[in-house]
Amino acid sequence: MERLNQLAMIKEREFNQEKITGANKSVDEVVDIFNKVNSGGTKLSKGDLALAKLCAEWPEARTDMRSHLERWGTAGYDFSLDWLLRNATAVATGRALFSSLERVSAADFEQALTASVQHIGTFLDAVSGRLGLDHDRVLMGRYATPVVSYLLSQHGGQFQDATHRDKVLYWYVHSALWGRFSGSTETYLQQDYETVRRAGIDGLISTLERTRGGGSLNVRPDDFEGSTRGARFYPLLYLLTRVSGARDFGSGIELKAELLGKLSTLQIHHIFPKALLRNQYDRGEINALANFCFLTQITNLQIGKRAPEDYLAEVAAKHPGVLESHWIPTDPTLWKVENYREFLAARRELLAGAAQSFLESLRSGAGATLEPDLQPVTVVTEEVDDPRAAQVRDLIAELRRLGFAEPTTDSEISDPVTGRALAVAEAFWPDGLQVGQGEPVVLELDPEDADLPRLEELGYEVFTSVDALLGFVARRNEVAAGTGAASTPVNEHPEDTLVAEFGRHMVAGYERARREAGYNATFFRSMLAEIGAVATAKKLLASPTVSDGFASLWERGRLDLTVEALLLDPRFETLFDDDELDAARRRLKQFDYSV
């Protein structure tokens, strides 16, 4: 009743209003003032205010723009309103700052928006049809698009010819690979608009070469050293697969939608299955970009967890040239698990050579053929087969259930000043857990591979474990609801012999994990001290994700030391209900542990 009364009293609250006026106030100043006085609410972007002014004269502007965004979303590309507005601003004014729209009439803006939508469509057709970049995950360097929109506006809305198109695509790919717009976006956009007016696409390429320090845009083997789908060169690997005639291991058919028919669904394939590598290599090495290729989903399932020295030999014999079409080294000694690092090095060499050759063909115009456009294919997510991936998946599902925003996953985060990659986060909320409220939130489960001090310096809220982020969300919700966070033991009676014995085994499990597996579960130990053994087990089982401890012990091959394994001991099953026991069985079975 107290909380309902607090809610009802909102209707009686008086809100102070102050008007800040002055024709001399710029868009930037007004946005800054608004965000300072509205610090507890949704932040206003510069684009929001510029668009608000235009909507006063053309009320349908925002609806019209959103209809275009929805259409691109249906086609597999996810763009923001600010991004589309930036394209329209480029076409309308040739300027990067939204404040330049202050002098644009609604009629002129409507015309510029119509033109920019056409230019974006022309560019996306080229990116998808010529490069095979047919969905959002592989559409790199999206802030190069306003530059292309502006360039097309200077050429009547079309590429001059196929050679001109390929040169533009060459610049686009390299601008993305080297993070041209990862730093001061507006500064670089303005520089490139001016270059377009002065020297066209050749000028853009020359500018990019100078920023690379001496005129070299060569792709090197170590550029493919990234890991996960968030690596900057992941889209390039997909591009090469699509344009270079890579063939399926199972059928030997090229991975093109028009040839594969019903089998056109592709999936990321780990050449060395993760299960074979876990005991010898860390997560970054296992998920190395050079361990990825793309196959039809059915072929990927058929290969399963077979060793490469086994199945690659069969593929080479059955379909000569298929391995080479994926730039996979054909030396059988490199297919052995103990030679995995040598395999990665050899494949990076082959990938770099293929990338350099294709990109140079774009620049020279040698590849501007009359071949039909590539048709989109569907790339499905690989099945989750490790607790870390399951944790992230379940975390995102839980946060969405609670009303929080959808994050980007495997997301590269760049320094806004230098463009340097600071982290490849498992999940990233660039606009806060609730859009426009709070600071950007980063989940980085490999903190040793990230620049955490710089991320924190930039104001990001960084979490290095799923448990920590879930705890933060729980506390945030408790504060918002006006409730306490006190936890009380469940069925915890020290005089109960069975409960006491379970507690001793929980402590013994903690000690064994520290001594035998090198895992010090400090948070788990504090939970035991605070709420007791049974309550700790119940809390872990009730969580929407597996715990950090479960994931860490799985990585060490010691699921026998998990709480889930202990509570399924027949001696302790009576302490838990059927739902809790079933949850423990499911978790262990999912990750191939037999109880």
Side-chain angles (χ1 to χ4, degrees):
M1 288 302 299
E2 179 182 351
R3 290 161 61 191
L4 287 171
N5 285 333
Q6 290 175 353
L7 189 63
M9 288 301 294
I10 291 176
K11 295 185 294 183
E12 309 300 323
R13 187 178 300 174
E14 292 186 5
F15 293 92
N16 180 54
Q17 298 181 40
E18 292 186 26
K19 289 187 177 180
I20 302 172
T21 61
N24 62 328
K25 294 288 189 295
S26 69
V27 170
D28 290 359
E29 289 175 310
V30 174
V31 169
D32 189 46
I33 292 169
F34 179 88
N35 285 335
K36 284 181 177 177
V37 300
N38 190 47
S39 58
T42 301
K43 292 180 180 178
L44 188 70
S45 74
K46 297 173 186 178
D48 287 329
L49 195 59
L51 191 55
K53 171 185 174 294
L54 291 163
C55 285
E57 299 178 55
W58 179 29
E60 297 81 13
R62 193 180 297 269
T63 300
D64 192 39
M65 294 175 73
R66 290 199 183 282
S67 69
H68 294 301
L69 296 174
E70 289 172 4
R71 178 166 53 82
W72 287 319
T74 302
Y77 298 113
D78 183 20
F79 299 126
S80 69
L81 198 65
D82 269 19
W83 174 87
L84 178 54
L85 184 61
R86 200 172 288 285
N87 279 270
T89 302
V91 173
T93 69
R95 308 291 299 175
L97 297 175
F98 289 131
S99 57
S100 63
L101 289 173
E102 293 175 357
R103 299 180 294 276
V104 177
S105 69
D108 288 342
F109 176 76
E110 183 176 3
Q111 185 177 4
L113 176 61
T114 301
S116 66
V117 168
Q118 293 174 347
H119 302 335
I120 291 167
T122 298
F123 178 58
L124 290 179
D125 286 345
V127 165
S128 178
R130 180 74 177 96
L131 303 181
L133 302 179
D134 50 17
H135 62 280
D136 198 69
R137 164 61 70 177
V138 295
L139 188 70
M140 49 187 175
R142 60 192 58 210
Y143 275 102
T145 313
V147 178
V148 179
S149 292
Y150 183 64
L151 183 147
L152 290 173
S153 74
Q154 305 297 296
H155 294 283
Q158 297 294 327
F159 298 110
Q160 294 172 344
D161 52 32
T163 299
H164 181 242
R165 175 204 63 190
D166 280 7
K167 272 193 175 183
V168 172
L169 293 176
Y170 172 85
W171 171 83
Y172 158 70
V173 172
H174 275 296
S175 70
L177 293 179
W178 313 121
R180 171 68 172 166
F181 303 105
S182 298
S184 303
T185 303
E186 291 178 339
T187 299
Y188 293 126
L189 282 174
Q190 190 57 50
Q191 288 177 3
D192 287 348
Y193 296 160
E194 292 168 2
T195 300
V196 166
R197 286 194 292 270
R198 185 181 67 254
I201 185 58
D202 290 325
L204 288 176
I205 294 172
S206 296
T207 298
L208 199 55
E209 286 175 331
R210 286 195 298 274
T211 62
R212 287 290 295 161
S216 173
L217 294 179
N218 292 339
V219 176
R220 299 178 299 273
D222 57 4
D223 293 323
F224 283 94
E225 284 188 347
S227 62
T228 78
R229 294 185 304 160
R232 188 173 288 183
F233 275 69
Y234 170 81
L236 185 58
L237 175 63
Y238 182 77
L239 180 158
L240 292 174
T241 301
R242 298 284 280 120
V243 303
S244 300
R247 296 156 55 196
D248 187 53
F249 286 3
S251 65
I253 297 174
E254 287 190 20
L255 300 175
K256 294 181 178 180
E258 59 271 26
L259 298 179
L260 294 172
K262 294 181 180 179
L263 300 177
S264 62
T265 298
L266 301 186
Q267 196 166 41
I268 294 176
H269 170 68
H270 284 70
I271 301 168
F272 280 71
K274 290 185 282 186
L276 296 181
L277 301 175
R278 285 179 183 133
N279 293 332
Q280 299 183 45
Y281 304 96
D282 61 33
R283 283 205 315 143
E285 289 180 302
I286 293 171
N287 290 305
L289 199 55
N291 192 31
F292 290 174
C293 70
F294 295 90
L295 300 176
T296 57
Q297 189 174 15
I298 189 170
T299 295
N300 195 30
L301 290 172
Q302 288 171 348
I303 292 173
K305 299 177 182 179
R306 295 178 65 192
E309 60 183 307
D310 177 16
Y311 78 86
L312 288 182
E314 291 180 5
V315 171
K318 186 176 180 181
H319 301 296
V322 164
L323 298 185
E324 291 88 339
S325 76
H326 288 272
W327 313 279
I328 293 175
T330 55
D331 179 356
T333 62
L334 296 177
W335 302 343
K336 299 179 182 296
V337 171
E338 59 269 26
N339 296 328
Y340 176 60
R341 291 192 179 101
E342 289 77 9
F343 169 87
L344 293 180
R347 189 160 189 250
R348 284 193 291 263
E349 290 276 356
L350 295 172
L351 288 171
Q356 187 63 24
S357 176
F358 175 74
L359 291 172
E360 284 303 318
S361 75
L362 287 179
R363 183 173 187 173
S364 68
T369 65
L370 297 178
E371 290 184 9
D373 287 347
L374 296 167
Q375 298 303 307
V377 295
T378 301
V379 179
V380 297
T381 305
E382 59 184 323
E383 291 188 13
V384 171
D385 62 353
D386 70 78
R388 291 293 184 192
Q391 268 192 307
V392 175
R393 178 201 60 196
D394 295 341
L395 166 74
I396 293 171
E398 175 66 7
L399 294 184
R400 287 184 62 189
R401 187 187 69 79
L402 295 172
F404 292 103
E406 178 87 18
T408 59
T409 56
D410 291 329
S411 178
E412 180 180 274
I413 303 173
S414 301
D415 192 308
V417 177
T418 66
R420 178 173 63 90
L422 300 175
V424 177
E426 275 72 14
F428 179 43
W429 291 262
D431 300 311
L433 288 175
Q434 290 177 290
V435 175
Q437 297 186 35
E439 301 304 324
V441 173
V442 176
L443 177 66
E444 173 54 77
L445 299 183
D446 294 302
E448 64 278 1
D449 297 330
D451 189 346
L452 299 188
R454 179 57 176 160
L455 288 171
E456 292 169 354
E457 181 185 344
L458 291 169
Y460 293 175
E461 294 187 80
V462 182
F463 297 88
T464 57
S465 80
V466 170
D467 288 350
L469 180 50
L470 281 173
F472 169 79
V473 169
R475 290 190 298 274
R476 173 174 168 159
N477 288 347
E478 287 163 356
V479 170
T483 60
S487 297
T488 56
V490 180
N491 296 333
E492 205 78 18
H493 304 290
E495 66 278 6
D496 189 319
T497 303
L498 184 60
V499 169
E501 185 180 358
F502 181 73
R504 287 192 294 273
H505 277 77
M506 288 277 272
V507 173
Y510 160 78
E511 294 292 349
R512 288 184 63 195
R514 187 167 58 86
R515 184 175 63 253
E516 299 173 19
Y519 175 60
N520 188 9
T522 54
F523 181 67
F524 171 76
R525 192 69 178 90
S526 66
M527 285 178 65
L528 288 177
E530 183 180 348
I531 63 174
V534 173
T536 294
K538 288 178 175 287
K539 187 171 183 178
L540 292 174
L541 287 169
S543 174
T545 74
V546 297
S547 67
D548 290 330
F550 186 101
S552 295
L553 289 170
W554 174 84
E555 290 175 340
R556 293 163 170 80
R558 295 303 305 269
L559 287 182
D560 59 302
L561 298 177
T562 60
V563 172
E564 285 80 359
L566 177 61
L567 66 88
L568 290 176
D569 186 316
R571 291 173 295 175
F572 305 122
E573 287 185 347
T574 57
L575 296 174
F576 304 96
D577 61 35
D578 289 342
D579 288 341
E580 290 165 337
L581 294 171
D582 286 343
R585 290 190 189 96
R586 281 195 307 272
R587 287 182 181 177
L588 292 169
K589 183 178 179 181
Q590 181 181 0
F591 301 108
D592 300 325
Y593 181 80
S594 300
V595 181

